[in-house]
Amino acid sequence: MTKWGLIGASTIAHEWVIDAIRAVGGEVVSVMSTSAERGRKYADDHQIAKAVTSVDALVGDPEVEAVYISTTNELHYEQVLATAKAGKHILCEKPLATSIEHARDMVKAAKAAGVVMATNHHLRGASSHQVIRDAIAAGKIGKPMSARICHAGYLPVHLQGWRLEKPQAGGGAILDLTVHDTDALRFVLGDDPVEVVAFDQHGGMAKSGLEDAAMTSLRFKSGLIAQFHDGFTTPFAVTGLEVHGTEGSLIGTHNMTQKPIGKVVLRNRNGETELTLDGGNLYERTLRAFDAAIAGTGKPLCSGEDGVWSLATGLAVMKSAATGAKVAVEPGL
Ligand code: NDP
């Protein structure tokens, strides 16, 4: 049973991760918030015994074995370095950081400390993405030629804070959503992006120069081409992930989400077959894999290096949107 400390009294921990930790048999022993008052209330609301106000107090607690970092993105870097230094395992939210150098240094620090580091790209834990990955690996669609992801929706009112107004915190649709698309596609294809071109949109929801939507085209190492549509401003869009191959197409709908929902259909010369999904919780799957990595019996579902890849792609998309140029994806790993 892993004993967790939380850095960040966040919405994501409240809505998903605390429950998932407990569902897989873990315990949340401490939470760190910069506000003593908010932290104490958060701890009480979630039946967490300890609330602290500094990273050192959290990572230095001998009871804490693993740390979940879900603060705003510009803070992850220092917090991961402090956690690694304290010799605690790390599950860090995406995007890992706001610069690729920082993200790489975070991975290096975890490696040097000999601790597990994972990135919380929860979509790898979706049954829909796992069946798409398995079907591609089993050759069900022949050679994958192209892919499309729609991850455009409406940013819920309770999340309309730093994502819309703080560039320095890594706000905007690209670092929020495009990084998830990149990771989901790398996961199902077993392939990496090489270059991107993108347009962003400033549709009136985001402020301070941040984009609230983006459309991206990508080329992967295998030659596959892909499109992403990410956004906060389209309440009625349907999310989905599709991969089209020489022998068939896999069409996932309603599956770019935190919930264990969605549908996957395989279309080929024999017609349409709906694939069976198990409805498992995405965050619990991530945590089970993390526990197995700590035990030395498995690997994280999404590693620190995977987080570097998705951030490198997100940063390339931002640069392309800003300059109008085609930009190479350079994780530098
Ligand atoms: P929140 O805005 O809820 O929390 C971020 C920080 O804001 C907290 O650490 C907290 O600081 C502060 N904060 C939160 N609520 C309040 C409040 N009411 N008043 C004052 N301060 C507050 O962020 P999210 O949970 O939406 O996102 C956190 C991280 O998780 C980001 O990196 C994001 O990208 C990622 N994320 C990942 C998802 C996934 O599925 N993988 C989904 C959603 C987010 P303090 O701790 O000091 O109190």
Side-chain angles (χ1 to χ4, degrees):
M1 181 174 86
T2 306
K3 295 194 171 180
W4 287 86
L6 312 181
I7 297 184
S10 68
T11 309
I12 175 69
H14 160 68
E15 291 183 345
W16 291 98
V17 178
I18 292 172
D19 286 347
I21 286 173
R22 291 175 174 154
V24 303
E27 190 185 336
V28 182
V29 299
S30 184
V31 58
M32 178 251 154
S33 168
T34 51
S35 154
E37 191 188 344
R38 232 178 60 74
R40 190 61 260 163
K41 179 168 184 334
Y42 192 94
D44 291 344
D45 289 348
H46 297 88
Q47 295 85 47
I48 300 168
K50 293 178 246 184
V52 299
T53 54
S54 80
V55 170
D56 286 345
L58 189 293
V59 301
D61 181 341
E63 219 190 338
V64 169
E65 297 166 329
V67 176
Y68 170 56
I69 295 171
S70 64
T71 47
T72 49
N73 307 316
E74 82 286 16
L75 301 174
H76 298 171
Y77 170 65
E78 296 285 356
Q79 293 168 344
V80 163
L81 294 193
T83 307
K85 197 166 164 208
K88 309 293 167 83
H89 304 293
I90 303 157
L91 174 61
C92 184
E93 269 304 342
K94 48 49 67 173
L96 281 187
T98 51
S99 85
I100 201 67
E101 294 77 14
H102 278 181
R104 279 199 300 259
D105 285 351
M106 290 152 77
V107 171
K108 274 189 207 147
K111 208 159 257 171
V115 297
V116 171
M117 177 172 170
T119 310
N120 198 25
H121 276 305
H122 64 290
L123 293 167
R124 290 186 181 225
S127 178
S128 57
H129 295 128
Q130 300 198 341
V131 301
I132 290 173
R133 176 198 58 180
D134 294 348
I136 293 171
K140 298 268 169 110
I141 61 165
K143 179 176 165 50
M145 301 300 291
S146 55
R148 286 201 300 238
I149 292 183
C150 181
H151 202 168
Y154 188 76
L155 186 67
V157 172
H158 72 287
L159 298 183
Q160 291 185 17
W162 57 268
R163 279 178 183 77
L164 298 180
E165 55 204 32
K166 282 202 176 162
Q168 70 278 17
I174 296 170
L175 289 185
D176 202 43
L177 302 172
T178 308
V179 293
H180 275 313
D181 305 351
T182 305
D183 187 68
L185 210 46
R186 288 185 65 245
F187 176 65
V188 301
L189 295 171
D191 195 2
D192 299 318
V194 176
E195 56 185 358
V196 304
V197 281
F199 285 113
D200 60 9
Q201 187 178 52
H202 301 260
M205 185 191 249
K207 308 269 180 313
S208 313
L210 283 169
E211 78 289 343
D212 43 34
M215 285 205 186
T216 303
S217 296
L218 309 90
R219 189 187 305 282
F220 277 65
K221 281 179 186 160
S222 67
L224 174 136
I225 51 175
Q227 287 179 336
F228 296 162
H229 176 194
D230 296 301
F232 296 149
T233 54
T234 49
F236 304 106
V238 174
T239 74
L241 181 154
E242 303 175 358
V243 185
H244 304 278
T246 51
E247 308 295 326
S249 289
L250 287 154
I251 316 284
T253 38
H254 296 292
N255 61 349
M256 298 301 289
T257 170
Q258 297 173 293
K259 296 180 190 144
I261 57 171
K263 176 175 160 179
V264 178
V265 170
L266 171 65
R267 303 185 82 229
N268 59 20
R269 63 175 59 83
N270 301 320
E272 290 194 354
T273 314
E274 186 170 341
L275 305 185
T276 306
L277 306 182
D278 68 15
N281 181 292
L282 289 66
Y283 297 91
E284 290 173 22
R285 237 185 222 124
T286 296
L287 287 160
R288 270 192 220 99
F290 190 87
D291 282 342
I294 293 177
T297 56
K299 287 196 297 194
L301 207 42
C302 181
S303 66
E305 285 86 350
D306 291 320
V308 175
W309 266 103
S310 63
L311 176 62
T313 309
L315 294 173
V317 169
M318 287 172 74
K319 189 169 170 190
S320 175
T323 61
K326 188 162 75 176
V327 178
V329 176
E330 294 175 316
L333 289 167

